[in-house]
Amino acid sequence: MRDLIFKERQVGILESLANAWRGLRGPVVVPLLQFAVYVCSAMSVMLFVERVYMAIVIICVKALKRKRYTKYKLKLDTVKKELEDSGTHPKVLVQIPMFNEKEVYRLSIGAACGLSWPFDKIIIQVLDDSTDLVIRELVESECQRWASKGVNIKYENRSNRNGYKAGAMREGLRKCYVKDCEYVAIFDADFQPEPDFLWRTIPFLLSNHDLALVQARWKFVNANECLLTRLQEMSLDYHFGVEQEVGSSTYSFFGFNGTAGVWRLEALKDAGGWKERTTVEDMDLAVRASLKGWKFVFVGDLWRTFYQVKNELPSTFKAYRYQQHRWSCGPANLFRKMFKEILQCERVSLLKKFHVLYAFFFVRKIVAHFVTFFFYCIIIPTCVLVPEVHLPKYIAIYIPSTISILNAICTPKSFHLLIFWILFENVLSMHRSKATIIGLLEANRVNEWVVTEKLGNTGKIKASSKWLKRPQFRLIERIHMLEIILGCYLLFCAIYDVLYGRDHFYVYLFLQAGAAFIVGFGYVGTFMPS
């Protein structure tokens, strides 16, 4: 009797929920979902137009062989000979900011000390914010070793980490021995420039006094380490090969990548110097310098290796996720802080202001993340459950397919990974969207700065060891609940579509759910147990 009453209550609760759903579905759920489809469709079209525009520009640039830096018609060998004959080399400061970089500090310091430039005209400045006393001693010892070889290298350590990287570089520029320097080259701790890097970049600044920045391309030494690094390479190749090239060739503006670049110190000071108000101090500086009328040039030719600087991609998902939080939250927060300043700036043209506000910030840094997550991971799956909502197939299928192909075509060797790349980007867009919202609202974690973990050469050693093949770890270290919850929702929608749907979206939903579960259970990237 008690079981019968319990079952009747269960049936009553289910019927009440069903009635409530039917009552809300028509007047509330359907209109709201349809409105969300329209908003996401508009954002998809905005992103599509931006991608097509950049594709047209890059095709014209390549077809006409008129990249921005070719317009300066510099004969680098001639400039080098003139400088050597006259002995008028400008004084260059090389800054290497680092924080507890046990695995890579030797590589970066060694590469910087190996730069080809007159020894009395170059200063290597190691800005070590390490809190680990052992690592601090190792870095200082390495600097002393190079100093004993005659290299003009300075080791600087602060008692605090105020301002993080921006604070360290700002303090470094205040040193008395920097006052005679005209240019500053910046390399993060895992970057290894070629010996002739300065000879390939400084001449642009010498011959063009309106140039503030020469940005080089990144070359990834561990791109083939695992699937995670291959997918990162696809995204970053598009960023450098298209976004940076288009910005350089059309508006002479693009976001400074924070490393592998040379700044004119006059321009850096004119822009207000380094500020730590966001986690993208490099982009902040670039925008402020651009508003002052300074120009930038990108010299990242894919086929000219001397314009590429070797560096390391994060190969653990944890490190990559922290990096993406910073790279997504920072631009959104900077957009919030500088919107009015950019809009009211009278020194730059209306077209350039439109490019910075609309294309650079709004479409690429905000719309792209929101569309990828909310539309492809939330709205489209929900439309399967509510078939009354009209979802145009060209918006749901054709436009995203075109955008994905335009992104992936910059890395032809990984084109066969296109499907994996799309699925992984969709899953990761959840963290990027969350970080973007945090940046726009200046919510908690807006100024969170977690230094990206680098493995250096030890990653290869550990990857081949039995210790890594049978790691000892706590289960919680590999479980990511948000991705698992997302995977469960996508799987539910896929099963529902198989049973009741008519548009065959379940093919995509099953694949996307599988990708979410793979990430959620920690089976992506190199795993280093703590």
Side-chain angles (χ1 to χ4, degrees):
M1 185 67 179
R2 186 177 297 175
D3 292 341
L4 182 60
I5 294 173
F6 180 72
K7 289 181 180 178
E8 288 178 353
R9 286 180 180 176
Q10 282 186 318
V11 172
I13 293 173
L14 291 175
E15 287 181 354
S16 298
L17 290 174
N19 290 331
W21 169 247
R22 283 191 289 267
L24 291 173
R25 183 180 179 122
V28 179
V29 176
V30 173
L32 285 177
L33 191 56
Q34 189 67 67
F35 176 73
V37 168
Y38 289 146
V39 172
C40 289
S41 298
M43 290 195 294
S44 293
V45 172
M46 292 165 64
L47 188 60
F48 174 75
V49 171
E50 172 70 8
R51 290 292 191 268
V52 171
Y53 161 73
M54 288 195 291
I56 293 171
V57 171
I58 205 67
I59 288 172
C60 293
V61 166
K62 289 183 179 293
L64 299 175
K65 296 182 179 180
R66 294 286 292 176
K67 293 192 175 186
R68 179 74 184 180
Y69 69 87
T70 62
K71 295 180 181 180
Y72 294 115
K73 298 179 180 178
L74 281 180
K75 295 182 179 179
L76 298 176
D77 293 334
T78 302
V79 174
K80 182 177 180 180
K81 188 175 185 304
E82 290 175 354
L83 285 176
E84 290 177 339
D85 291 343
S86 62
T88 56
H89 301 81
K91 200 167 185 179
V92 180
L93 175 70
V94 179
Q95 288 188 319
I96 311 174
M98 58 177 61
F99 174 74
N100 292 340
E101 306 289 0
K102 181 180 180 181
E103 311 297 352
V104 295
Y105 74 92
R106 280 198 182 95
L107 297 174
S108 57
I109 293 175
C113 292
L115 287 169
S116 174
W117 202 255
F119 73 92
D120 60 332
K121 294 290 186 177
I122 186 172
I123 302 173
I124 311 298
Q125 188 183 63
V126 178
L127 303 168
D128 184 22
D129 274 2
S130 297
T131 53
D132 188 314
L133 296 179
V134 174
I135 297 176
R136 188 187 300 181
E137 290 176 2
L138 289 173
V139 175
E140 187 172 11
S141 176
E142 183 70 8
C143 293
Q144 291 172 353
R145 188 174 72 85
W146 282 102
S148 66
K149 295 181 179 182
V151 177
N152 189 2
I153 185 169
K154 307 291 185 181
Y155 174 80
E156 303 292 349
N157 178 262
R158 300 189 298 165
S159 59
N160 58 68
R161 290 191 66 210
N162 293 341
Y164 301 108
K165 179 181 173 181
M169 291 190 290
R170 183 176 59 235
E171 289 297 316
L173 293 178
R174 291 174 178 171
K175 302 299 179 182
C176 59
Y177 55 80
V178 175
K179 62 181 181 179
D180 295 329
C181 295
E182 297 180 51
Y183 308 105
V184 54
I186 302 168
F187 302 103
D188 280 352
D190 58 317
F191 278 71
Q192 305 158 51
E194 295 296 328
D196 62 347
F197 177 84
L198 296 179
W199 286 112
R200 300 292 179 176
T201 52
I202 295 292
F204 289 99
L205 296 165
L206 288 173
S207 307
N208 304 279
H209 298 288
D210 59 345
L211 271 184
L213 166 68
V214 180
Q215 173 72 61
R217 188 183 181 123
W218 298 359
K219 180 181 180 182
F220 313 111
V221 297
N222 66 332
N224 296 322
E225 182 176 337
C226 60
L227 183 58
L228 176 62
T229 54
R230 290 286 294 274
L231 300 179
Q232 289 179 68
E233 182 187 34
M234 293 175 70
S235 299
L236 288 171
D237 276 351
Y238 180 82
H239 168 69
F240 285 107
V242 178
E243 290 180 344
Q244 298 293 73
E245 193 67 73
V246 169
S248 177
S249 300
T250 54
Y251 307 99
S252 296
F253 169 78
F254 48 84
F256 174 45
N257 294 116
T259 179
V262 183
W263 275 91
R264 185 188 302 273
L265 275 172
E266 177 191 352
L268 196 153
K269 294 174 182 176
D270 183 46
W274 293 106
K275 294 182 179 181
E276 65 271 13
R277 56 182 176 173
T278 70
T279 56
V280 284
E281 73 295 321
D282 43 15
M283 187 182 294
D284 186 357
L285 176 62
V287 173
R288 285 185 280 115
S290 179
L291 296 182
K292 290 286 187 178
W294 293 97
K295 296 180 180 179
F296 311 149
V297 64
F298 177 67
V299 292
D301 197 313
L302 181 62
W303 308 112
R304 302 188 182 189
T305 56
F306 48 71
Y307 283 143
Q308 300 178 40
V309 182
K310 293 184 290 186
N311 73 296
E312 179 184 327
L313 290 165
S315 57
T316 66
F317 181 69
K318 179 181 178 181
Y320 184 56
R321 191 176 60 181
Y322 278 126
Q323 181 199 69
Q324 292 304 299
H325 173 86
R326 190 172 73 247
W327 286 5
S328 302
C329 179
N333 190 230
L334 183 62
F335 177 66
R336 171 193 170 113
K337 292 180 182 297
M338 295 203 67
F339 180 84
K340 187 176 180 180
E341 183 180 346
I342 296 170
L343 199 63
Q344 294 177 344
C345 180
E346 297 179 356
R347 195 161 185 173
V348 298
S349 66
L350 186 63
L351 181 63
K352 191 169 185 177
K353 284 192 285 188
F354 176 79
H355 167 71
V356 175
L357 287 174
Y358 174 77
F360 181 78
F361 274 116
F362 186 63
V363 175
R364 299 182 201 171
K365 311 300 181 184
I366 298 174
V367 167
H369 301 328
F370 284 177
V371 166
T372 307
F373 176 62
F374 290 109
F375 196 32
Y376 305 131
C377 296
I378 302 296
I379 304 300
I380 290 178
T382 306
C383 286
V384 170
L385 306 178
V386 189
E388 297 94 325
V389 175
H390 175 61
L391 180 62
K393 286 188 177 180
Y394 72 93
I395 293 291
I397 300 174
Y398 305 132
I399 284 182
S401 299
T402 305
I403 292 173
S404 299
I405 292 172
L406 290 175
N407 273 270
I409 204 167
C410 289
T411 314
K413 70 174 185 177
S414 298
F415 198 74
H416 62 288
L417 299 175
L418 178 60
I419 301 298
F420 296 98
W421 179 77
I422 293 172
L423 298 174
F424 178 73
E425 287 290 297
N426 288 349
V427 174
L428 198 69
S429 66
M430 175 171 57
H431 295 286
R432 291 176 178 148
S433 299
K434 182 176 70 173
T436 301
I437 293 171
I438 289 173
L440 290 173
L441 300 179
E442 284 198 320
N444 191 27
R445 291 185 66 198
V446 67
N447 291 317
E448 179 185 76
W449 184 290
V450 178
V451 176
T452 305
E453 179 188 20
K454 293 107 180 173
L455 303 181
N457 291 332
T458 61
K460 296 179 181 179
I461 298 171
K462 293 175 182 176
S464 61
S465 67
K466 293 181 180 179
W467 173 74
L468 182 60
K469 291 177 182 177
R470 292 194 299 270
Q472 300 296 320
F473 56 86
R474 294 179 300 166
L475 183 63
I476 196 172
E477 292 180 18
R478 294 189 64 155
I479 297 297
H480 306 289
M481 285 307 301
L482 288 177
E483 284 84 353
I484 293 175
I485 293 171
L486 176 63
C488 290
Y489 178 69
L490 292 169
L491 181 61
F492 171 75
C493 294
I495 294 172
Y496 186 92
D497 195 42
V498 170
L499 298 175
Y500 307 107
R502 57 182 183 275
D503 290 325
H504 303 291
F505 278 124
Y506 62 82
V507 176
Y508 157 72
L509 293 174
F510 275 125
L511 291 172
Q512 191 62 72
F517 286 131
I518 289 172
V519 175
F521 288 107
Y523 288 99
V524 62
T526 301
F527 182 73
M528 292 295 184
S530 57

